[in-house]
Amino acid sequence: MPNDHGPQSGLADTVQRETALLAPYAMRSSDSLGRTHAEPDHPYRGPFQRDRDRILHSAAYRRLSGKMQVFTGEMGDYHRTRLTHTQEVASIARTIARGLRLNEDLVEALALFHDIGHPPFGHAGEDALSECLVDNGGFSHNQYALVIAETLETRYHTFPGLNLTREVLDGQYSRINHACATPSLLETQVVELADSITYNAHDTDDALKLGLVELNQLTELPLIAATLEKSATDLSAAPARQIRKAMVYGLVDRQVSQLLQYNIRRLVTEDFRSAQDAGNASFQLQMDPDLAEPKRELEQFLFQSVYRHPRLLEVRQQAQNRLRTMFEGYVSNPDLLPARFQQRIGDVGIQRAAAEYLAGMTDRYCDQQFHIHFTRLT
Ligand code: MG
C-alpha cells in the first residue's frame, strides 16, 4: 500500500490497484508493450493515465470543440460537437469498462483518442478530402489520428508525436483494419460499442431538438417504444421536452445494461485467464442479440431521416465545395501553407501535406481561411 509520505515509485501503485480491481482478461499496465521512445515510469501515474493526459492536452483534442459531429454551429448551440460526443463516449465507455472490470484508464485514453483525426465538417469533410487524394491513397480520419499521434503533435523536442503506448496505437490500427492479425483488446472493443450507443442516443436528441424529426416518428420505432414503456416515470402527461430527455437517458441505460448483462454471462462461461487468452480466442464483445435488430432499425431511421435531411445535405455540399477549392488552392500555392506543412511536403508530397493541414482545421477556421484566401477563386 502507498505509505503516508506519498506514492510508491514507478508502476507499483498502478499494478497494485489493477491486481485488486481488474478481471483476469483485462489489459494490465505491467503487460504494456511500451512506447516507441522508452521513458522512465512516472511516480504515480500508470502508462495509460499518461496516454490519456497527453491526448487531453494535445492541440488536436482541443480543436474537437470546433469540429462538428453531425450538426454545424449555424444550427444553434444545443447540439453535440465532436468534443462533447467524445466526452460522452468516454463516460459511457468507462461505465461499461467498470461493469466488466476492464482497464478504465486504457478505455478512457482510447475513447478520448477515437475521433481525434476527424477533419472539419465531419464525414462530409472526410469524403471531400478522400476524393481530393483519390490518386494518393485517399484520406481516412482513423489513419490521420495516427499521423497526429506519431508525427504532427510536437510535445517533445527530441522526437515527434505524443509517444503513446502500443496499446492505444494498436486500438486505432484495429479501427483502420478490422481484420488485422492482432486481435483487438476488450478495452478497444468497449470504445467501439460505446461510440455507437452514444451517437444513437445523442443524434436522436439533437435531431428532435432541432426539429428535423418529430417525436411520434421516433416512438414508432421498437427500441424507443420499449425504452419509453420501461421508463421509471409515468410519461403519459409529460411535455415533449421531458419525453425527449427520458428517451435519451433510457436509450443509453437500456443498451448499456443489456450489453453488460449479456457479456458478463459470456465472459463467466469463457473464464479467460488473461487478456492474451481472450485475444487468442478472438472473443468479441457484442450487443445483446435481442437489441441488435431494434438498434439497426433506429440507425437506419437516423441515416434516412436525419443524416440525409435536406438541411444537412445543403451544409454538406457547401462544406465539400469549399474544401475542394481550398485543397486545389494550397496545392497550386504551397506558399500559403504554414512553414511546418511546407516542410511536410518533402515527406508526403504536396497533396497529402495540403490535406493534412486542412484536416487539422476547426470548422470556423476553415471557413475563415476560405474567405481570406480563396473566395476570389470561386
Ligand atoms: Mg465517435
Side-chain angles (χ1 to χ4, degrees), residues 8-12 14 39-47 49-50:
Q8 297 175 355
S9 64
L11 271 177
T14 305
E39 294 177 24
D41 293 337
H42 188 273
Y44 51 86
R45 287 181 304 153
Q49 284 178 287
R50 298 174 80 185

Side-chain angles (χ1 to χ4, degrees), residues 69 82 85-86 89 111 114-115 118 141 175 195-196 199 202:
Q69 176 69 16
R82 190 65 62 181
H85 159 75
T86 296
V89 172
H114 90 282
D115 268 354
H118 261 288
H141 75 271
R175 292 171 69 85
D195 191 21
S196 93
Y199 64 66
H202 69 43

Side-chain angles (χ1 to χ4, degrees), residues 90-108:
S91 163
I92 290 172
R94 281 189 62 138
T95 298
I96 297 170
R98 191 171 298 185
L100 298 176
R101 295 173 57 217
L102 289 169
N103 193 319
E104 283 182 57
D105 292 335
L106 176 56
V107 161
E108 187 176 20

Side-chain angles (χ1 to χ4, degrees), residues 47-107:
F48 304 130
Q49 284 178 287
R50 298 174 80 185
D51 284 352
R52 176 204 59 198
D53 296 343
R54 286 168 199 205
I55 295 162
L56 188 72
H57 293 287
S58 69
Y61 181 82
R62 281 195 300 281
R63 289 199 199 111
L64 294 177
S65 69
K67 297 194 179 200
M68 73 178 221
Q69 176 69 16
V70 176
F71 311 103
T72 59
E74 291 149 33
M75 297 172 89
D77 291 330
Y78 176 84
H79 58 75
R80 275 71 176 175
T81 63
R82 190 65 62 181
L83 180 67
T84 58
H85 159 75
T86 296
Q87 289 171 323
E88 289 184 37
V89 172
S91 163
I92 290 172
R94 281 189 62 138
T95 298
I96 297 170
R98 191 171 298 185
L100 298 176
R101 295 173 57 217
L102 289 169
N103 193 319
E104 283 182 57
D105 292 335
L106 176 56
V107 161

